[in-house]
Amino acid sequence: ACELRAVSKVYYKPDGSVMVEALKGVDLVIRRGEYVAIMGPSGSGKSTLLTLLGCLDRPTGGQFLVGGRDVRAMSDEELSVFRGRTIGFVFQSFNLIAQHSILENVGVPLFYQNVPPADRHRRAAEMLDLVGLGDRVHHRPMELSGGQQQRAAIARALVTNPLILLADEPTGNLDSATGQSILALFDRLHEQGMTVIMVTHDPAIGDRARRVVRLRDGLVEVDRMNPPR
Amino acid sequence: ACELRAVSKVYYKPDGSVMVEALKGVDLVIRRGEYVAIMGPSGSGKSTLLTLLGCLDRPTGGQFLVGGRDVRAMSDEELSVFRGRTIGFVFQSFNLIAQHSILENVGVPLFYQNVPPADRHRRAAEMLDLVGLGDRVHHRPMELSGGQQQRAAIARALVTNPLILLADEPTGNLDSATGQSILALFDRLHEQGMTVIMVTHDPAIGDRARRVVRLRDGLVEVDRMNPPR
Ligand SMILES: Nc1ncnc2c1ncn2[C@@H]1O[C@H](COP(=O)(O)OP(=O)(O)OP(=O)(O)O)[C@@H](O)[C@H]1O
Ligand SMILES: Nc1ncnc2c1ncn2[C@@H]1O[C@H](COP(=O)(O)OP(=O)(O)OP(=O)(O)O)[C@@H](O)[C@H]1O
Ligand SMILES: [Mg+2]
Ligand SMILES: [Mg+2]
């Protein structure tokens, strides 16, 4: 489980003064196998929260425990190893490497796991096929549409078969039909045990999750279970 | 009016062979003051079409007439002058300049119109206020949420009071309430005479437009007027 207790995140100016209090005291427990939608207004702290949950950054205050262990007790290297083994992250702005094809891009997390090149390419190609990009594998990000870049970022997040998927608005650039097929893929992986934590602005997607956490101004405003589907 | 006749757009590989036929023969007439939603599957050619309509690129084949004049008869410079005077463009990936605050970013189109600095800053600040970013004007793009970056891109597109707004999925990163306020702003400007051409994946936004053009595989599949609101 991931557990946040009174977690705050402050962005500072270069002179050390406070620029923005992005999270102001978040209490949240997410257990293995959950399917949580994180919603709320633009600027309310969703991406910041997801970044902390993904161990890509540390809280300014409060406690963040993963598997019972406070991340403050973990070095940057330990956190990085944990992240590589456990987490798949889909960024709101994709963060694909411009100079590489999406086949290479999707293979990068496997490279860090010391998977040999032939297996990397095979698994990356399979994942790209799953998201409907089988005929675009040699394109670089700038040679793709916005929704194709988004799907490549999703493929990269899933290629290591992560225990936890953190996805920041993964269908924002997708038409309804393509978005539904991506959500169906997430459902299948969730049924196989993957934890899904997804930021979304789409109420219909919020309804598909098992639980909705709604932020406002850096605080949790709502945290409730959805009625069973 | 903008008129496309049998317009094609091909992306080539470095060796000159065809990589992708993004548009395969588009016929389309859009008149002054229209409000058109462009919809269709991911990869169907919407951003490519918008880029041509915005005079940011030229067709590979066919004719594209603006105000009755074929763009092939216009030099790159003439096209650029026409674009600066007439068009406001919201990019799917925003294209904000990382090193500048959003106040400076939004002022850039006015700089190219030789507007003096004090007026540039005043008008940029007003536009940022209109999109709800009045308290973020000195932030640089990386110090903003995804939806805030999107709104800054929208402000930049509107700061010159363009005759034609071309917007590529302008509410994709916005929660419902913020998205609605942006669409209400577009409505007001449309009532004052601005032509609106918007790519969207959201059927609800398609319903708000006066007309929907739906692409599939680089061709126009549907082109119909919406019932009056
Ligand atoms: N620079 C490029 N080089 C090669 N192919 C490209 C390039 N840009 C786009 N494409 C291809 O052209 C097609 C149309 O792309 P476009 O960006 O217009 O799609 P779109 O309808 O906007 O999709 P989305 O809804 O995903 O944003 C896609 O199949 C894409 O792979
Ligand atoms: N690097 C930064 N420096 C300063 N302020 C920041 C930085 N990154 C984000 N912020 C601010 O922190 C707040 C929360 O940002 P965050 O990206 O978490 O919002 P969000 O809920 O994901 O919004 P959206 O729905 O628009 O993506 C915003 O008000 C934003 O302006
Ligand atoms: Mg965000
Ligand atoms: Mg597009």
Side-chain angles (χ1 to χ4, degrees):
Chain A
C2 309
E3 189 167 347
L4 290 90
R5 297 176 185 169
V7 158
S8 60
K9 182 66 187 176
V10 180
Y11 294 112
Y12 293 96
K13 290 186 202 168
D15 66 4
S17 63
V18 170
M19 191 180 199
V20 173
E21 279 188 84
L23 295 175
K24 294 173 183 166
V26 169
D27 298 310
L28 189 63
V29 179
I30 299 179
R31 294 180 181 80
R32 274 290 174 76
E34 288 208 58
Y35 191 144
V36 185
I38 299 178
M39 306 186 70
S42 173
S44 55
K46 305 179 296 297
S47 295
T48 301
L49 175 59
L50 212 71
T51 299
L52 296 183
L53 287 168
C55 301
L56 289 160
D57 198 0
R58 294 169 183 274
T60 308
Q63 285 179 292
F64 176 34
L65 297 97
V66 285
R69 227 176 135 215
D70 195 327
V71 294
R72 274 179 304 197
M74 297 164 74
S75 66
D76 284 356
E77 172 144 50
E78 284 180 277
L79 212 58
S80 177
V81 167
F82 170 78
R83 194 171 65 232
R85 269 202 232 121
T86 320
I87 289 165
F89 202 105
V90 185
F91 294 88
Q92 191 168 2
S93 53
F94 318 149
N95 293 6
L96 297 167
I97 304 167
Q99 298 79 6
H100 292 286
S101 72
I102 52 169
L103 185 70
E104 292 163 328
N105 262 282
V106 173
V108 165
L110 299 174
F111 172 80
Y112 286 116
Q113 289 183 343
N114 297 315
V115 174
D119 293 324
R120 282 210 306 272
H121 284 163
R122 178 183 50 78
R123 287 171 61 179
E126 286 171 359
M127 197 51 73
L128 283 166
D129 206 51
L130 263 183
V131 299
L133 293 178
D135 60 352
R136 291 280 185 275
V137 297
H138 298 302
H139 285 233
R140 279 164 299 152
M142 294 304 295
E143 297 167 332
L144 293 171
S145 77
Q148 291 167 342
Q149 292 173 22
Q150 186 157 46
R151 283 180 276 159
I154 290 166
R156 182 181 59 186
L158 293 175
V159 75
T160 52
N161 298 315
L163 296 170
I164 305 172
L165 173 69
L166 293 151
D168 203 338
E169 305 200 33
T171 62
N173 284 283
L174 302 176
D175 57 283
S176 314
T178 311
Q180 288 303 310
S181 66
I182 291 297
L183 294 174
L185 171 61
F186 291 175
D187 280 353
R188 287 201 296 281
L189 295 168
H190 176 241
E191 283 155 23
Q192 294 168 20
M194 187 174 78
T195 307
V196 180
I197 305 171
M198 188 186 320
V199 171
T200 183
H201 281 311
D202 189 336
I205 297 176
D207 290 343
R208 279 177 87 113
R210 298 292 160 83
R211 173 181 170 199
V212 176
V213 172
R214 197 172 272 283
L215 297 185
R216 180 176 293 280
D217 289 329
L219 289 165
V220 174
E221 181 184 49
V222 171
D223 184 353
R224 57 169 177 74
M225 298 304 288
N226 270 336
R229 267 192 261 165
Chain B
C2 309
E3 190 167 346
L4 289 90
R5 297 175 184 169
V7 158
S8 60
K9 181 65 187 176
V10 179
Y11 294 112
Y12 293 96
K13 289 187 201 165
D15 67 4
S17 64
V18 170
M19 190 180 198
V20 174
E21 281 189 81
L23 296 174
K24 295 173 182 166
V26 169
D27 298 310
L28 188 64
V29 179
I30 298 178
R31 294 179 181 81
R32 274 289 174 79
E34 288 208 57
Y35 191 145
V36 185
I38 299 178
M39 306 186 70
S42 174
S44 55
K46 303 178 299 295
S47 295
T48 301
L49 176 58
L50 212 72
T51 300
L52 296 183
L53 288 169
C55 301
L56 290 160
D57 198 0
R58 294 170 184 274
T60 308
Q63 286 180 292
F64 176 35
L65 297 96
V66 283
R69 230 178 132 212
D70 195 326
V71 294
R72 275 178 303 196
M74 297 165 70
S75 67
D76 284 356
E77 172 143 50
E78 283 180 277
L79 212 56
S80 175
V81 166
F82 170 77
R83 194 171 66 234
R85 267 203 232 122
T86 319
I87 289 166
F89 203 104
V90 185
F91 294 88
Q92 191 167 4
S93 53
F94 318 150
N95 293 7
L96 296 167
I97 304 167
Q99 297 79 5
H100 291 285
S101 72
I102 52 168
L103 185 70
E104 292 162 328
N105 262 282
V106 173
V108 165
L110 299 175
F111 172 80
Y112 286 116
Q113 289 183 343
N114 297 316
V115 174
D119 293 323
R120 282 209 305 274
H121 284 163
R122 178 184 51 78
R123 287 171 61 179
E126 285 169 1
M127 196 51 72
L128 284 166
D129 207 51
L130 263 183
V131 299
L133 294 178
D135 60 352
R136 291 280 187 275
V137 297
H138 298 301
H139 284 233
R140 279 165 297 153
M142 294 303 294
E143 296 166 333
L144 293 170
S145 76
Q148 291 166 343
Q149 292 173 21
Q150 186 158 44
R151 284 180 275 159
I154 290 166
R156 182 182 59 187
L158 293 175
V159 75
T160 53
N161 298 314
L163 296 170
I164 305 172
L165 173 70
L166 292 151
D168 204 338
E169 305 200 34
T171 62
N173 285 282
L174 302 176
D175 56 284
S176 314
T178 310
Q180 288 303 311
S181 66
I182 291 298
L183 294 174
L185 171 61
F186 291 176
D187 280 352
R188 288 201 294 282
L189 295 168
H190 175 242
E191 282 157 22
Q192 294 168 20
M194 187 174 77
T195 307
V196 180
I197 305 171
M198 187 186 320
V199 171
T200 182
H201 281 311
D202 190 335
I205 297 177
D207 290 343
R208 281 177 87 113
R210 299 291 160 83
R211 173 181 170 197
V212 175
V213 173
R214 197 172 270 283
L215 297 185
R216 180 176 293 279
D217 289 328
L219 289 165
V220 174
E221 180 185 49
V222 171
D223 184 352
R224 58 169 177 77
M225 298 303 290
N226 269 335
R229 265 191 264 166

